[in-house]
Amino acid sequence: MATIDDVAKAAGVSTSTVSYVLSGKRPISGPTRARVEKAIRDLGYRPHAGARALASSRTNVIALVAPLRVAVNVNVIMEFVTGVVTAARNHNYDVLLLTQEDATGIDRVSSGSMVDAIIAMDIEEDDPRIPLLKAARQPAVLIGLPRDNAGLSCVDLDFFGAGAATIRHLAHLGHTRIGMLGAPTAVWQRHTSFWDRTLSGAHYEATSKGVTFTAIPCEASEVGAHQSVTELLRKAPDITGLVVHNEAALPHVVAALRDTGRAIPEDISVVAICPQHLATSQPQPLTSVTIPATAIGKVAVDMAMQRLSDPEQPAETRLLAAELTQRATTATLHSAAENTSGDTASIGLM
Amino acid sequence: MATIDDVAKAAGVSTSTVSYVLSGKRPISGPTRARVEKAIRDLGYRPHAGARALASSRTNVIALVAPLRVAVNVNVIMEFVTGVVTAARNHNYDVLLLTQEDATGIDRVSSGSMVDAIIAMDIEEDDPRIPLLKAARQPAVLIGLPRDNAGLSCVDLDFFGAGAATIRHLAHLGHTRIGMLGAPTAVWQRHTSFWDRTLSGAHYEATSKGVTFTAIPCEASEVGAHQSVTELLRKAPDITGLVVHNEAALPHVVAALRDTGRAIPEDISVVAICPQHLATSQPQPLTSVTIPATAIGKVAVDMAMQRLSDPEQPAETRLLAAELTQRATTATLHSAAENTSGDTASIGLM
DNA sequence: ATAGATTGTTGAACCGCTTCGATGATATCG
DNA sequence: CGATATCATCGAAGCGGTTCAACAATCTAT
């Protein structure tokens, strides 16, 4: 492997000149720069990452802490990861992948100076990683919103707004009895931050709009989806609107509703909170609030880069606005009443 | 950050002694070792990864090249990644994540000495990455089996054997008209290695067992699955056995078969090639050949480590034996005949 | 013509660790 | 008892870059 000295020799300049050509931190005359660049090309020279990291205290690597268990939401996670990796490359950064499960990971890569910044996803309200991230010498960006985020940058979809938007949309269409199928019980109990916030937003909007609102958990499997639909319809048999915030269960929920003889959107309107491709790839495109996973990943990287370039930069929290797109699965209660018994309509007036 | 010199000073020894305590490459007396270890603990010392890499030409990082596009088989990919990351940690290695799309990635991390080895997944017959991997100074391990694998280590499920096993199983149950739904057209055309081999194995076994065999592609979506099922039943209306090698389409295929009025396994036996959790999590557990993704990821890492510890170690190819597990979706043609018209049975005798 | 500023390049120190050869102290043997 | 082997530790030379102070050469203003 050619070293920087080999290049310098070949170009007839000092090693520092080569370094400055590479980094652009000092002006180099045209002819000199050309000679150096030729030598680099001829020798196929590539700076040694370790040497560079040692001398400059920059690794050009960021750590990404991701939940790699076979999770309910692999699709969403994958999209986050893709967004992060792609954005990182645009800043000339590579990504070191850590699993949530490897508790020592954060400390290891941080105090070992393996990375310049850390991005952690799937953050819970009281996430055990928070103290580690605060203690790290490198800036950290969380994808999610923990209870205590002092000194840490956070990005996420405005899930409170997302929850509210779904209710507002359904209420606007005339629905007054609304149900919600959410995360699996485990996520619910873990107080994963996104889920708590969706629920609050929905509750808040339901209260202020005066509509009844019933939310229950939903497992990710086909069987679980059927059970949850059954239970929800038992608890609140008169609902005409349903919010589903569970990517994995989505298709099964739709199927289960049909199995009960309910037509979508004639008998029941359905709005999802999920990545866009999931909403549009269904046989009947779903009205949905998009989870812009790729965009969030990109913002996370950008925030990390910002804090690297200006260490004085204070931590900030950025919540991306929720946008609801109406597709084929929601309709006004009025038009629904045309195709169904008067019961539903009268209930709507209660 | 404390350096090795700080530790040496605190322990009253030379820096090299500290280094040898850490690496164990030279014997150190009990008392000395104890003093050094105490100093390390007191100072919270962690070796600087860059410095270490520079001095030892070992980074303790491996690169993993993964297809991060939202692929049909996110679940499987995720499982490979998990297997690799977990296994890597057991060897005290971290994982740098590269995307397939970033063509420069392999060369960058290789010639920049960012990693000690490279693992590439989702290999095609004539994969454009092969020349890059051969040119790399670091050992490479492929998950998949390209046409030309000289000098490269490969691991994969024995997909030829898997394809053969599905046919053998169905033939053993008396089925003589067998259909197969495979990868999407794109994968088929790309000659992704696993799919070609499954097909060959199935064909080979079908020929030798004298059963008729019809395979067509299948897209990953619900709509695509329905279309493929319809087309297959048009081309080969008399099939009593079906092999599905397409994780994403699996549940939709099952649903589509039911929609045609066929009961599983009474009217048609179904065997899948997919990760185990997918087969068992269906409402009706599927007879399947397991894709042991986690295990393959682990083997890939182990092979890489082996070649690192002994550079003379020649490249080898390891194909994990395919194992078929019978569950609820396959039955003998005889018992099927009891519940169906004589037509099927007579065709079975042809 | 000369002091001062600007531009382009260099030499050398340093980043933090590994590893090899050397050294002194003990143990082993004929 | 002296010669030799063994054990534990040390000093110093890299590994391959970055960066700073300094210097030479050229340009501007007086």
Side-chain angles (χ1 to χ4, degrees), chain A residues 195-213:
Chain A
W195 170 239
D196 275 19
R197 289 181 285 137
T198 304
L199 197 56
S200 309
H203 255 125
Y204 175 85
E205 190 72 16
T207 305
S208 81
K209 283 276 191 295
V211 307
T212 68
F213 175 68

Side-chain angles (χ1 to χ4, degrees), chain B residues 218-281:
Chain B
C218 178
E219 302 306 313
S221 66
E222 182 166 350
V223 178
H226 272 79
Q227 285 174 348
S228 293
V229 167
T230 307
E231 190 190 336
L232 179 62
L233 291 176
R234 192 183 51 68
K235 274 194 169 173
D238 52 2
I239 57 170
T240 60
L242 177 65
V243 180
V244 184
H245 183 180
N246 185 321
E247 304 79 32
L250 205 41
H252 305 308
V253 167
V254 170
L257 282 176
R258 295 236 173 78
D259 288 355
T260 69
R262 285 171 173 76
I264 302 172
E266 289 77 11
D267 299 325
I268 187 163
S269 283
V270 176
V271 35
I273 301 178
C274 68
Q276 182 171 335
H277 70 95
L278 256 173
T280 55
S281 72

Side-chain angles (χ1 to χ4, degrees), chain A residues 68 97-99 102, chain B residues 60-67 76-98 117-122 141-144 155 292-305:
Chain A
L68 277 197
L97 186 63
L98 299 180
T99 69
D102 177 12
Chain B
N60 276 51
V61 174
I62 60 179
L64 174 61
V65 191
V76 186
I77 291 175
M78 210 67 161
E79 228 183 297
F80 277 126
V81 174
T82 308
V84 168
V85 174
T86 309
R89 282 307 308 144
N90 287 338
H91 291 276
N92 196 29
Y93 264 72
D94 274 294
V95 173
L96 196 75
L97 186 63
L98 300 179
I118 307 175
I119 295 178
M121 36 186 299
D122 205 36
V141 178
L142 313 185
I143 296 181
V155 215
T294 310
I296 290 175
K298 179 177 169 357
V299 171
V301 172
D302 291 344
M303 287 174 85
M305 293 301 140

Side-chain angles (χ1 to χ4, degrees), chain B residues 13-14 16-17 26-29 32 54-55:
Chain B
V13 298
S14 71
S16 48
T17 300
R26 290 227 181 147
I28 299 290
S29 71
T32 307
L54 179 56

Side-chain angles (χ1 to χ4, degrees), chain A residues 36-73:
Chain A
V36 171
E37 283 168 349
K38 179 170 184 327
I40 289 176
R41 251 177 291 112
D42 291 351
L43 295 172
Y45 166 74
R46 294 277 199 159
H48 185 288
R52 183 170 263 196
L54 178 56
S56 68
S57 346
R58 276 296 168 97
T59 62
N60 275 50
V61 174
I62 60 179
L64 174 61
V65 191
L68 277 197
R69 55 176 174 268
V70 176
V72 290
N73 46 352

Side-chain angles (χ1 to χ4, degrees), chain B residues 109-340:
Chain B
V109 302
S110 167
S111 50
S113 299
M114 298 181 71
V115 302
D116 296 340
I118 307 175
I119 295 178
M121 36 186 299
D122 205 36
I123 298 289
E124 300 169 19
E125 288 274 287
D126 289 295
D127 202 285
R129 292 167 293 173
I130 303 278
L132 294 171
L133 292 170
K134 283 191 175 174
R137 289 175 295 118
Q138 296 86 345
V141 178
L142 313 185
I143 296 181
L145 194 55
R147 187 186 315 284
D148 167 21
N149 65 346
L152 295 170
S153 294
C154 303
V155 215
D156 210 349
L157 174 64
D158 175 5
F159 277 103
F160 186 97
T166 59
I167 303 294
R168 191 179 314 123
H169 174 67
L170 290 172
H172 179 74
L173 293 174
H175 300 271
T176 56
R177 306 275 166 173
I178 299 175
M180 181 165 188
L181 294 176
T185 313
V187 173
W188 201 301
Q189 287 173 343
R190 217 166 59 202
H191 291 288
T192 305
S193 99
F194 75 87
W195 170 239
D196 275 21
R197 290 181 285 137
T198 303
L199 197 56
S200 310
H203 254 126
Y204 175 85
E205 189 73 17
T207 306
S208 82
K209 284 275 191 296
V211 305
T212 70
F213 175 69
T214 315
I216 66 171
C218 178
E219 302 306 313
S221 66
E222 182 166 350
V223 178
H226 272 79
Q227 285 174 348
S228 293
V229 167
T230 307
E231 190 190 336
L232 179 62
L233 291 176
R234 192 183 51 68
K235 274 194 169 173
D238 52 2
I239 57 170
T240 60
L242 177 65
V243 180
V244 184
H245 183 180
N246 185 321
E247 304 79 32
L250 205 41
H252 305 308
V253 167
V254 170
L257 282 176
R258 295 236 173 78
D259 288 355
T260 69
R262 285 171 173 76
I264 302 172
E266 289 77 11
D267 299 325
I268 187 163
S269 283
V270 176
V271 35
I273 301 178
C274 68
Q276 182 171 335
H277 70 95
L278 256 173
T280 55
S281 72
Q282 305 293 324
Q284 187 179 24
L286 284 148
T287 295
S288 73
V289 171
T290 292
I291 301 179
T294 310
I296 290 175
K298 179 177 169 357
V299 171
V301 172
D302 291 344
M303 287 174 85
M305 293 301 140
Q306 199 124 85
R307 296 194 61 189
L308 280 176
S309 62
D310 175 12
E312 301 306 305
Q313 185 97 15
E316 67 173 325
T317 291
R318 262 160 74 176
L319 295 182
L320 277 59
E323 276 183 39
L324 186 145
T325 306
Q326 178 158 16
R327 299 202 181 82
T329 56
T330 50
T332 61
L333 185 59
H334 178 67
S335 76
E338 288 169 3
N339 300 326
T340 182

